[in-house]
Each structure stands twice: as C-alpha cells, then as structure tokens.
C-alpha cells in the first residue's frame, strides 16, 4: 500500500476515521487512535470522525467460490486452478481495500479448490495407472 498523500512511499497504517492508508509522517495519534489531517480535526473537536463505511462484496471472491464448487463436479482440472487464482486475487484486493468484504468466501474457495484439484489429479492418476 502506498501513502495517499505521498505516492511511492509505503503506508504505515490506516486512518482510524477514513481508513485510507498513510505513511508515518501523515498520521497523528489522538486518544490512542491514529488519524490523518482531515480526521484529526474532527477528533480534536470532540466529534468522532464518522464516515459511512461503504462496504461492498468482493465479486472476485464470489466467482472463486462458484468455480470451486462447480469444479468439484465437472471440469475440475480446469475450473479448480481458475478458482485458486481468483481466490488469491480476491484476497489481495481485500487486503488493499478495507471496504471490500468476502474474505470468508475467498478462504472457502481456496480450500475447496485445492482439495478439489487434488482429488481430480488423484482420480486421473488412478485411472491411468489401471490401464
């Protein structure tokens, strides 16, 4: 993550008010919480920075779960690697954007896809070993 105010500088933490990433130079501690300049003013005036947390479901996590479940029953050798890639992508997206939800779906998709892929590979190996 990069600091919102200083592109190219690594962010140290997120503001407790707006949840944007900032470097150590851009954050101040007020009443034990770290704030950016805009939110600091509200915190110092006695008002808690209240921003409507707009959360949104990570579509990538839902797609990963869908591919993982379908892959158990058909075309798993193709769908399970796609599900793994989508689940890992969803986890990266959620780490970068705290407003995205669906980490449980991404984790479930990753676990199901790995297990499904292993089962498909074992099935293929067993079929060809009997020939």
């Amino acid at each position: 993550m990069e600091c919102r105010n200083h592109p190219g500088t690594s962010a140290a933490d997120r503001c407790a008010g707006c949840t944007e990433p900032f470097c150590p130079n851009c954050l101040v501690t007020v009443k034990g919480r770290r704030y950016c300049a805009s939110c600091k003013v509200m915190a110092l005036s006695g008002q808690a920075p209240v921003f409507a947390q707009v959360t949104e479901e990570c579509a990538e996590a839902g797609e990963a779960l869908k591919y993982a479940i379908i892959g158990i029953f058909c075309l798993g050798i193709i769908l399970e690697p796609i599900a793994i890639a989508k689940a890992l992508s969803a986890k990266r997206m959620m780490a970068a954007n705290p407003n995205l939800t669906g980490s449980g779906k991404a984790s479930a998709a990753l676990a199901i896809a790995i297990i499904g892929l292993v089962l498909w590979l074992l099935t293929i190996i067993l079929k060809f070993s009997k020939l």
Side-chain angles (χ1 to χ4, degrees):
M1 287 187 304
E2 288 186 349
C3 175
R4 183 171 180 199
N5 293 338
H6 303 107
T9 303
S10 294
D13 203 358
R14 292 184 180 273
C15 171
C18 63
T19 69
E20 291 291 333
F22 292 97
C23 68
N25 295 333
C26 294
L27 293 170
V28 295
T29 304
V30 177
K31 298 177 187 173
R33 299 183 74 187
R34 299 186 68 163
Y35 294 100
C36 67
S38 301
C39 296
K40 168 191 73 173
V41 173
M42 292 178 71
L44 287 173
S45 68
Q47 299 173 344
V50 181
F51 290 91
Q53 255 318 0
V54 180
T55 58
E56 134 184 27
E57 185 74 25
C58 180
E60 195 86 358
E63 290 176 19
L65 187 57
K66 179 173 55 175
Y67 281 117
I69 292 171
I70 293 171
I72 290 173
F73 301 106
C74 62
L75 299 173
I77 200 74
I78 296 168
L79 294 179
E80 300 300 4
I82 293 172
I84 291 170
K86 285 189 171 290
L88 292 174
S89 173
K91 285 182 166 283
R92 280 191 301 273
M93 290 168 59
M94 286 181 274
N97 184 353
N99 294 336
L100 289 177
T101 61
S103 63
K105 281 185 181 180
S107 297
L110 189 59
I112 292 169
I114 290 171
I115 291 168
L117 184 60
V118 168
L119 291 175
W120 272 90
L121 291 173
L122 287 174
T123 302
I124 291 170
I125 291 170
L126 288 174
K127 278 189 176 186
F128 283 113
S129 68
K130 290 181 181 181
L131 294 177

